[in-house]
C-alpha cells in the first residue's frame, strides 16, 4: 500500500531530478522508488472481547473479535496492535505468528478499564459424584491434568509420604532405588518418583516396576543417585489419603479430589490445568506483550528462535514449570520488565538468549516443595536462570526460592541492584546469587558485576 506521504515525497523528488547530472539522477530515481514502496503501511488496532464475535472486522471497540482462535489464525502487519478487553478472560494459548520491525513492533496489549485481561491454562469442571468416603470423582477427557485449583488456590497432588522424604537405603546409581521405609506390600508401578539425588537437583521419573521395597525407574538421572538422599512418590490413587489432595488417572480418564472440607467439589470453583503455554512465540521478531495476566499453564510464556521480544507489565500466576522461558541459544534481545511471576514450580525466568535484559520484575514463591506436582526438572526453584552472554539483570525482587535467587553464567553479564530474600528453601549448594562457569565466546573480557542486596 502506497501512502499519500510517500507519493508526495516521490513527486518532490522527481521535480528535482531535472536539475541534476545524469548519473546522480539514476541514483536518486532508484532511491525514490525504494521510498515509495517501502513507506510503512498504516497500522491497524484490533480489539478482542468476551462480548465480541469472530465474524466482525475487529477494528473497533464496538465490533471486537471474540476468541483466541480468531487471533491465532490472523496475519498481522508491523505496527498492528491486538488489544484484549480488561476484565475479560479466555482459556487457551495465544500463538503469535507474525513479526514486526525495529520501528514498528506488533503489540499485544489491553484496552478499557479494570483488571488485566486473563488467559487461563485451566478450565472449570463440575458434575462430581462420590467415589468413596470423602473422595469425589469426575470423568475428564484430557491427555493429562497437571494442576488442580480450588477457588483459585493450588491444591496438593496426592503423594507418599504426605510430607518430607523417604530415605534412599541402597541404589545401583542409575535406575534402581531401595528404601527400608517403603510399604513393601504396596505396588508402586505407574507412580511418579520425585528424587533428591544430590544437593542441588530434584528430578522426576516414572516407576516402571516395584518389588517389595525396591523401585525401578524409567531412565537414569542426570547425576548418580546415592544412598542417604531421599525421594517421594505421587500420581497414584492409593496415595490420596488426606483432605485437600487430588489425583488424575490417565488411563481411566477420571479425576479424584478430596476437598479440604470433605464436601462435594461442586460447592467450589474447581479448575484443572490442561494447556501447555499461555503465550507461545516461535520464529518471530519485534513483538511487544504488555498488560496481560497468564494463569495455570505449564510455561506462562514460551519463546523459541525469536529476537527482539519485550514482555512488559504482565503477570504470570502458578505455572507448573516455568514463568517465562526462552531455552534456545538462537534467541537474542529478549526483554522482561515490570512483570510479576508468582508460584512457578521450576523457575521464574529461564534465559538462554544473547543480550537478554531482565529488569524491575517481582518473582515470588518459586519451587516450593508443597506445590510440586508430577514434574521436577533439576535445579527447581531458581528465580532467574541465565545461560548466555551480555545479559543485564537488575532491580528485580526475588522472594522465597526453592533454589538460588539468581543463577547465571556468561561473558559480559551484569547482575546488580537486585533484592533476594529467602533463597535455597528446598535445595542446597546454591545462593541468593550464584555464579557458575562462564560460557565460551569471543568477547574481550569476562565482566561480572554483582551489586545486589541479599537478605
Amino acid at each position: 500500500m502506497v501512502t499519500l506521504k510517500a507519493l508526495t515525497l516521490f513527486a518532490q523528488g522527481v521535480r528535482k531530478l531535472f536539475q541534476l547530472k545524469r548519473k546522480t539522477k539514476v541514483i536518486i530515481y532508484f532511491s525514490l522508488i525504494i521510498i515509495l514502496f517501502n513507506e510503512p503501511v498504516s497500522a491497524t488496532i484490533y480489539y478482542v472481547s468476551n462480548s465480541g464475535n469472530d465474524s466482525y472486522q475487529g477494528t473497533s471497540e464496538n465490533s471486537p473479535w471474540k476468541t483466541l482462535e480468531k487471533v491465532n489464525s490472523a496475519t498481522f502487519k508491523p505496527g498492528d496492535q491486538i488489544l484484549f478487553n480488561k476484565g475479560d478472560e479466555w482459556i487457551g494459548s495465544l500463538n503469535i505468528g507474525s513479526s514486526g520491525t525495529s520501528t514498528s513492533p506488533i503489540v499485544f496489549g489491553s484496552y478499557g478499564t479494570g483488571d488485566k485481561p486473563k488467559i487461563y491454562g485451566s478450565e472449570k469442571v463440575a458434575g462430581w459424584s462420590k467415589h468413596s468416603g470423602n473422595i469425589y470423582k469426575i470423568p475428564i477427557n484430557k491427555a493429562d491434568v497437571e494442576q488442580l485449583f480450588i477457588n483459585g488456590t493450588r491444591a496438593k497432588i496426592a503423594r507418599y509420604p504426605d510430607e518430607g522424604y523417604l530415605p534412599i537405603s541402597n541404589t545401583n546409581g542409575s535406575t534402581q532405588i531401595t528404601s527400608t521405609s517403603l510399604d513393601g506390600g504396596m505396588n508402586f508401578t505407574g507412580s511418579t518418583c520425585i528424587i533428591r539425588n544430590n544437593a542441588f537437583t530434584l528430578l522426576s521419573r516414572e516407576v516402571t516396576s516395584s518389588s517389595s521395597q525396591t523401585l525401578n525407574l524409567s531412565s537414569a538421572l542426570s547425576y548418580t543417585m546415592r544412598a542417604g538422599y531421599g525421594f517421594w512418590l505421587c500420581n497414584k490413587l492409593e496415595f490420596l489419603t488426606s483432605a485437600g489432595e487430588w489425583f488424575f488417572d490417565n488411563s481411566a480418564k477420571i479425576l479424584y479430589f478430596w476437598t479440604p472440607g470433605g464436601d462435594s467439589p461442586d460447592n467450589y470453583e474447581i479448575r484443572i490445568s490442561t494447556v501447555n503455554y499461555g503465550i507461545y512465540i516461535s520464529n518471530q521478531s519485534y513483538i511487544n506483550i504488555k498488560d496481560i495476566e497468564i494463569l495455570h499453564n505449564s510455561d506462562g510464556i514460551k519463546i523459541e528462535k525469536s529476537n527482539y521480544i519485550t514482555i512488559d507489565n504482565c503477570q504470570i500466576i502458578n505455572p507448573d514449570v516455568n514463568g517465562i522461558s526462552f531455552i534456545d541459544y538462537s534467541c537474542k534481545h529478549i526483554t522482561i520488565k515490570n512483570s510479576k511471576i508468582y508460584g512457578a514450580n521450576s523457575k521464574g525466568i529461564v534465559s538462554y538468549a544473547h543480550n537478554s535484559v531482565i529488569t524491575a520484575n517481582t518473582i515470588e514463591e518459586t519451587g516450593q516443595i508443597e506445590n510440586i506436582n508430577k514434574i521436577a526438572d533439576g535445579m527447581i526453584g531458581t528465580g532467574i536462570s541465565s545461560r548466555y552472554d551480555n545479559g543485564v539483570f537488575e532491580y528485580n525482587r526475588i522472594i522465597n526460592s526453592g533454589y538460588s535467587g539468581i543463577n547465571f553464567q556468561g561473558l559480559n553479564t551484569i547482575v546488580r541492584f537486585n533484592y533476594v530474600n529467602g533463597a535455597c528453601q528446598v535445595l542446597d549448594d546454591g545462593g541468593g546469587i550464584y555464579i557458575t562457569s562462564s560460557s565460551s565466546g569471543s568477547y574481550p573480557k569476562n565482566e561480572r558485576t554483582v551489586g545486589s542486596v541479599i537478605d
Side-chain angles (χ1 to χ4, degrees), residues 275-326:
V275 180
N276 284 336
Y277 311 125
I279 297 178
Y280 180 67
I281 307 171
S282 179
N283 288 290
Q284 306 303 329
S285 57
Y286 297 105
I287 304 294
N288 291 353
I289 300 169
K290 58 188 303 185
D291 305 325
I292 294 175
E293 184 171 348
I294 301 163
L295 305 95
H296 306 170
N297 301 89
S298 291
D299 284 15
I301 299 176
K302 178 80 168 182
I303 303 169
E304 296 180 328
K305 300 181 177 66
S306 299
N307 304 312
Y308 296 98
I309 310 297
T310 297
I311 313 297
D312 182 12
N313 195 34
C314 291
Q315 289 192 164
I316 299 174
I317 308 299
N318 289 329
D320 194 38
V321 185
N322 301 312
I324 302 173
S325 65
F326 30 108

Side-chain angles (χ1 to χ4, degrees), residues 245-266:
E245 295 183 339
W246 65 275
F247 162 72
F248 178 62
D249 187 328
N250 296 68
S251 299
K253 303 299 181 187
I254 297 176
L255 177 65
Y256 300 86
F257 186 36
W258 182 344
T259 66
D263 54 341
S264 171
D266 285 328

Side-chain angles (χ1 to χ4, degrees), residues 303-310 325-336 350-358 385-393 409-414 439-443:
I303 303 169
E304 296 180 328
K305 300 181 177 66
S306 299
N307 304 312
Y308 296 98
I309 310 297
T310 297
S325 65
F326 30 108
I327 310 176
D328 185 335
Y329 288 113
S330 64
C331 287
K332 297 179 181 178
H333 299 284
I334 310 295
T335 298
I336 315 295
V350 191
S351 167
Y352 280 25
H354 305 260
N355 304 93
S356 59
V357 176
I358 300 173
S385 178
S386 171
R387 290 293 180 269
Y388 226 110
D389 303 334
N390 294 334
V392 177
F393 313 119
Q409 67 181 40
L411 301 173
N412 296 338
T413 296
I414 297 174
S439 61
S440 59
S442 58
Y443 297 99

Side-chain angles (χ1 to χ4, degrees), residues 98-117:
S98 303
S99 289
T101 65
S102 59
T103 56
S104 299
I106 296 175
V107 176
F108 292 82
S110 63
Y111 73 98
T113 59
D115 295 335
K116 288 181 174 65

Side-chain angles (χ1 to χ4, degrees), residues 289 301 310-316 323-324 326 334-342 348-351 356-364 366 383-384 392-399 405-406 416-421:
I289 300 169
I301 299 176
T310 297
I311 313 297
D312 182 12
N313 195 34
C314 291
Q315 289 192 164
I316 299 174
I324 302 173
F326 30 108
I334 310 295
T335 298
I336 315 295
K337 60 182 182 179
N338 307 315
S339 295
K340 178 179 181 179
I341 300 171
Y342 180 90
I349 299 174
V350 191
S351 167
S356 59
V357 176
I358 300 173
T359 181
N361 303 286
T362 298
I363 303 171
E364 297 180 324
T366 308
I384 298 173
V392 177
F393 313 119
E394 58 186 8
Y395 301 106
N396 300 288
R397 291 180 58 85
I398 303 171
I399 312 298
I406 300 174
R416 62 185 179 187
F417 310 131
N418 299 283
Y419 179 82
V420 181
N421 187 323

